[in-house]
Every structure is written in structure tokens, then in C-alpha cells.
Amino acid sequence: MALTQVSSNKCAGGLQKVYEHESTELMCKMKFAIFLPSKAETNKLPVLYWLSGLTCTEQNFITKAGSQLSAEEHGIIIVAPDTSPRGCNIEGEDESWDFGTGAGFYVDATQDPWKTNYRMYSYITNELPKLINANFSANPDKMSISGHSMGGHGALICAMKNPGKYKSVSAFAPICNPMQCPWGQKAFAGYLGSDRSTWEAYDATVLAGSYTGPQLDILIDQGRDDQFLSASQLLPDNLISVCSEKNIAVVFRLQPGYDHSYFFIYSFFNDHMKHHAKYLNI
């Protein structure tokens, strides 16, 4: 699969790049950002996949999270894809900020007119890693995953649906129980249809209840002053309760004064890199 370089910037000793390619899963052009630490010039390095939230592109994370310094320090490649297909000319794709463009929700859609293009789950777990492993100095046996909000939901379900594929998982303010919140109900109904039993395959709280794979060590940071926490969109208590019943290890940190923004992510991203480095640098 041919890659076209969109940009390249020296950063923190490494290179922050953006590429574009034709996606076979999504049937459109997709962009992803990749930070290559200086060690990538001579070594195959582990990869952290970062999944962004509603309305984001590949740009939000690389310009706001301050991730490059810790990625360089730990020698970890970070890949940050776009959040959804774009420009597919689907009727209604740009009508709302929480569905369609910028809101792929990391599912494989089964409903018309979305099912041809909106296959972000398969893109993230299959096509994108193959692309990265084939074109960059990535160690294919050392992958981890993280994300924010809708992307935190994506990171959790990717880890739970693929036991052992990812060495570690973390999330900032994830949508933990989308079947029970307005954002998730809108997205799942549109992409997956009215049969709620099909939604369970993409709900971290439900997946945790039936998880039987290798031990997960999950790190979640949540801002206490997050407006979407108080609006019952994120529902972390539901996930924590199920993980406790199933003896799935979760470190949940409620951070006083922090909201849902990238200021919050910037403040604690280094902790998440240390969490992933424990598993990726073994």
C-alpha cells in the first residue's frame, strides 16, 4: 500500500510525520500521524496506537498532548490515526458533530449507508498495523493502545476483543458503557441497527464481563470536573464495577479540577507512557 508523506517535522530528537494512503477497509483516503523516535533509525521499536475522540483528526493529539518528549525518552513509536472516514459523500455524514464525520466510534458498521466506509474497528486492528509494520521500524510483536473519550472507548474494546494483541491499554475519560449513554446509543443505532444485542460487541463494560484472556492492566484517568462525566456520557463506575467482579486490574484515577480537554491529557500523558513502557520495553 503506497504512502504519501504529508508533513515531517523534527521534534524532541525524533520526527513527527503525517502520511496519507488509500484505505482498503474504509474505501477512502486516510491520514495518520506517526512519531518516530531517534532510535528508530537503527532499531525496531514498540508501537503505541492512540485513538482520538469525537470531532478530532490526526492533528489534535500531535499538536496538543505533548507526547513526543516521553515517546523519545522511552523509545516508543506513536501512531495517531484519524477518527473516521472523510469525504465519502454519504448523505448526512456532516450533519452532526457526534455521528458521521469525525465520529466513527471504532466500530464496523453493518447498516446502510455506513457499512461500506465506516469500518474503523477493522482499520485500527488490522489494516493500519500491517501498514505500519511494513513501512516503518516497528516491532510487530510489541503493540499497545490508548485513547481519549470516544478513542478511550476504542482502545478498551480493541484490547478486550483481541486478548494478547496489545501488551497494555490505557484511556483518558473513556466512554465506558456506550450502550447506556446518549452518545453511544446514537452511534450504535446508526451504525449497527436497532438490535441492541449487536451493540454488546463494542461496549467495554459488557466485554469486561465476558473477558477470559491474559490479565489486563488498565490505567484510566478521569477529570473530576469533566462536563461529560456529570452528563452521564462516560459512566466509568459501570466498567470499574464489572472489572472488580472479574478481577481485571484497573487503576482508576479521578483527577480534581481537570476537565475533558487536551490540557488534561497533556498533564498526565507521561504517566501513561510509563505505564505502557513497563510492558513494551521488556
Side-chain angles (χ1 to χ4, degrees):
M1 290 176 280
L3 295 177
T4 301
Q5 182 172 289
V6 176
S7 63
S8 178
N9 299 92
K10 187 77 172 179
C11 184
L15 291 170
Q16 179 63 69
K17 294 173 174 282
V18 175
Y19 287 90
E20 186 176 65
H21 72 105
E22 290 285 350
S23 168
T24 55
E25 281 288 356
L26 308 178
M27 304 295 288
C28 68
K29 285 185 177 180
M30 286 294 287
K31 288 180 181 177
F32 66 86
I34 182 168
F35 178 74
L36 299 168
S38 56
K39 290 179 182 177
E41 295 177 11
T42 54
N43 299 277
K44 283 191 174 293
L45 300 182
V47 182
L48 175 66
Y49 287 86
W50 171 269
L51 307 183
S52 292
L54 287 164
T55 74
C56 289
T57 70
E58 79 290 340
Q59 288 292 317
N60 298 73
F61 175 75
I62 64 174
T63 58
K64 296 179 179 180
S67 59
Q68 294 89 351
L69 283 169
S70 56
E72 172 70 14
E73 176 187 351
H74 294 289
I76 296 173
I77 295 169
I78 303 182
V79 175
D82 200 350
T83 52
S84 70
R86 293 181 190 270
C88 297
N89 297 315
I90 300 173
E91 185 177 356
E93 65 183 353
D94 297 321
E95 286 184 358
S96 56
W97 65 275
D98 56 355
F99 185 79
T101 301
F105 252 85
Y106 305 103
V107 304
D108 283 351
T110 59
Q111 303 299 301
D112 289 326
W114 311 100
K115 64 183 182 182
T116 298
N117 303 103
Y118 277 67
R119 297 180 50 80
M120 285 299 295
Y121 172 76
S122 288
Y123 177 74
I124 295 298
T125 59
N126 186 29
E127 183 180 0
L128 186 59
K130 287 181 178 178
L131 193 66
I132 299 302
N133 294 338
N135 289 278
F136 301 97
S137 53
N139 184 335
D141 298 319
K142 291 191 174 182
M143 299 192 305
S144 288
I145 195 162
S146 184
H148 170 230
S149 194
M150 177 184 74
H153 141 77
L156 291 169
I157 65 166
C158 286
M160 291 181 184
K161 287 168 70 66
N162 298 275
K165 185 180 183 77
Y166 301 97
K167 300 299 182 185
S168 52
V169 59
S170 74
F172 289 84
I175 303 172
C176 293
N177 196 183
M179 292 182 67
Q180 302 300 328
C181 76
W183 278 342
Q185 290 165 351
K186 179 177 181 177
F188 286 4
Y191 296 136
L192 304 174
S194 59
D195 181 358
R196 291 177 63 94
S197 67
T198 65
W199 301 5
E200 296 179 355
Y202 297 105
D203 187 301
T205 298
V206 175
L207 291 169
S210 58
Y211 182 79
T212 58
Q215 175 65 8
L216 285 172
D217 186 356
I218 304 169
L219 172 62
I220 296 175
D221 270 311
Q222 172 64 60
R224 183 177 288 171
D225 290 2
D226 186 328
Q227 66 272 35
F228 300 116
L229 178 65
S230 59
S232 298
Q233 293 281 20
L234 307 178
L235 305 175
D237 290 348
N238 296 2
L239 176 63
I240 293 165
S241 176
V242 173
C243 286
S244 177
E245 293 171 6
K246 296 289 291 184
N247 293 315
I248 297 173
V250 179
V251 174
F252 178 77
R253 309 192 307 183
L254 193 61
Q255 305 289 5
Y258 287 91
D259 58 18
H260 200 72
S261 71
Y262 264 87
F263 294 111
F264 165 52
I265 298 169
Y266 178 94
S267 301
F268 299 102
F269 188 78
N270 191 48
D271 290 349
H272 285 243
M273 284 299 287
K274 289 178 181 177
H275 169 76
H276 294 294
K278 284 190 302 182
Y279 300 93
L280 291 173
N281 288 334
I282 294 174

